[in-house]
Amino acid sequence: MAEVRNKKVVLRDYVVGFPKESDMNTVEGRIILKVPEGSNDVLLKNLYLSCDPYMRILMNKVESIDVHRHYTPASPLAGYGVSKVVESAHSDYKRGDLVWGFTKWEEYSFVSSSQICFKIEHTDVPLSYYIGILGMPGLTAYGGFFDVSSPKKGDNVFVSAASGAVGHLVGQFAKLSACYVVGSAGSTEKVDLLKNKLGFDEAFNYKEEPDLNATLKRYFPEGIDIYFENVGGKTLDAVLPNMRLHGRIPVCGMISQYNLTQPEGITNLAHLIFQRLKMEGFITTDFFLLYPKFLEFVLPLIREGKIVYVEDIVEGIENGPAALVGLFSGRNVGKQVVVVAHE
């Protein structure tokens, strides 16, 4: 029975404000590569881990009943990952299967079968895609745009955090749906990417726009039909008066608020009434039933080069904390991936 090293990233203590690399530790443990007798678990070798903004929320100390799997000090972080089955006590999975789902930030993990989302059947595309365009961000973009937003040809679409893992896909799905699409991002390089590689009609650097309301009027003189919300705060407040009648606001994330002890207030909510707007939050698991349909839609687009997918890859689990923290300073472009092992 092999006992091997098991490097892991653990939370040092609950986080207040912006996360720092020092809030996490990389430690070395040992693990026996065998599922214990009587267990129904699956033993995974983790290959690729996903850095996602929602993970910051899980670093908060919570006093109430925890439905979101908050992290605890001295325990490994957890999130979406692509893994290979080493050994399984569950009939649905066998040694050698490739899967994506919820796993821990360590080299090997015991997980319950309920934490595995899907078996990976299509391996003609890079495996890392299953924590990005073919995983949680891709399905989030697909469900949030097509299901929640109900887009129509010619709609005016605004995407915030448009160069991020979800945003850069939403913009392309919108263009494929014959919409006019504008994105906001936080650097000249990202704006250039949106306009010249991802096919957005327009894009702007929100850090260079002192008056967001005026900026939105410039890009959307007739107003916005769909605002795909990734940031919250001042951006949302500026968008509301610029929405068209019966506009839709799918709320995917609010990254500008996650590190604040006191979230910013929104002053323009009355426009929900005046413009009869629909504003709806959602999470990826809402769309799991759509996953086969989603793959049918997106796999041909990837294979035919009709969609551009951007990955920001770091090698080594010990570099995971820096990659995760970098999300909140806008360091990443596209989907932030941590490579634990290539196979």
Side-chain angles (χ1 to χ4, degrees), residues 54-341:
Y54 77 85
M55 295 171 72
R56 167 61 189 86
I57 303 168
L58 304 186
M59 296 176 174
N60 291 336
K61 187 171 187 177
V62 287
E63 308 295 345
S64 54
I65 295 168
D66 183 15
V67 291
H68 294 297
R69 302 194 185 109
H70 275 75
Y71 306 144
T72 51
S75 294
L77 271 58
Y80 286 96
V82 169
S83 315
K84 191 177 203 169
V85 176
V86 177
E87 194 180 78
S88 172
H90 195 280
S91 56
D92 285 356
Y93 304 101
K94 61 181 194 305
R95 183 195 299 240
D97 280 350
L98 292 162
V99 296
W100 72 266
F102 214 74
T103 188
K104 293 175 190 155
W105 275 40
E106 53 191 3
E107 291 177 285
Y108 294 90
S109 293
F110 286 106
V111 302
S112 77
S113 61
S114 64
Q115 287 178 258
I116 296 172
C117 299
F118 296 98
K119 218 185 274 194
I120 293 171
E121 310 286 359
H122 304 276
T123 53
D124 61 320
V125 291
L127 273 182
S128 58
Y129 280 25
Y130 285 91
I131 51 169
I133 188 169
L134 296 175
M136 185 273 284
L139 188 56
T140 301
Y142 177 82
F145 184 66
F146 291 109
D147 208 56
V148 180
S149 307
S150 313
K152 298 186 295 293
K153 186 177 175 181
D155 272 351
N156 293 335
V157 178
F158 176 46
V159 185
S160 55
S163 68
V166 175
H168 88 283
L169 298 175
V170 170
Q172 293 180 83
F173 292 164
K175 284 308 298 172
L176 289 165
S177 307
C179 297
Y180 166 75
V181 186
V182 178
S184 64
S187 74
T188 310
E189 173 206 17
K190 290 177 179 180
V191 167
D192 182 61
L193 174 81
L194 294 173
K195 284 163 59 171
N196 300 322
K197 285 221 176 72
L198 302 179
F200 282 60
D201 294 294
E202 290 289 350
F204 63 87
N205 180 349
Y206 68 89
K207 292 177 182 172
E208 293 176 349
E209 301 290 343
D211 184 346
L212 267 180
N213 182 39
T215 305
L216 293 171
K217 283 187 168 37
R218 191 165 78 237
Y219 287 108
F220 296 100
E222 295 172 3
I224 301 165
D225 294 293
I226 296 170
Y227 168 46
F228 200 95
E229 167 67 299
N230 287 313
V231 303
K234 295 179 181 70
T235 304
L236 174 60
D237 222 12
V239 165
L240 285 163
N242 286 286
M243 292 296 294
R244 289 176 82 172
L245 205 60
H246 302 297
R248 287 84 73 204
I249 305 176
V251 184
C252 173
M254 292 199 169
I255 194 170
S256 73
Q257 305 301 295
Y258 297 161
N259 299 304
L260 305 180
T261 42
Q262 184 63 50
E264 291 172 309
I266 304 294
T267 62
N268 285 321
L269 284 174
H271 289 274
L272 291 171
I273 309 163
F274 311 147
Q275 299 300 88
R276 279 75 110 201
L277 305 178
K278 172 182 154 187
M279 188 169 175
E280 183 179 339
F282 60 91
I283 56 172
T284 312
T285 50
D286 298 344
F287 309 122
F288 273 4
L289 288 175
L290 294 176
Y291 192 63
K293 188 179 161 194
F294 163 66
L295 287 183
E296 275 175 34
F297 167 77
V298 84
L299 277 167
L301 294 173
I302 295 170
R303 290 172 181 142
E304 292 160 27
K306 288 183 178 162
I307 198 158
V308 178
Y309 174 53
V310 183
E311 286 182 305
D312 199 323
I313 293 179
V314 299
E315 295 274 347
I317 194 168
E318 63 282 356
N319 293 313
L324 182 57
V325 168
L327 293 179
F328 299 97
S329 58
R331 211 184 67 180
N332 65 303
V333 179
K335 177 69 203 153
Q336 185 67 69
V337 179
V338 177
V339 181
V340 184

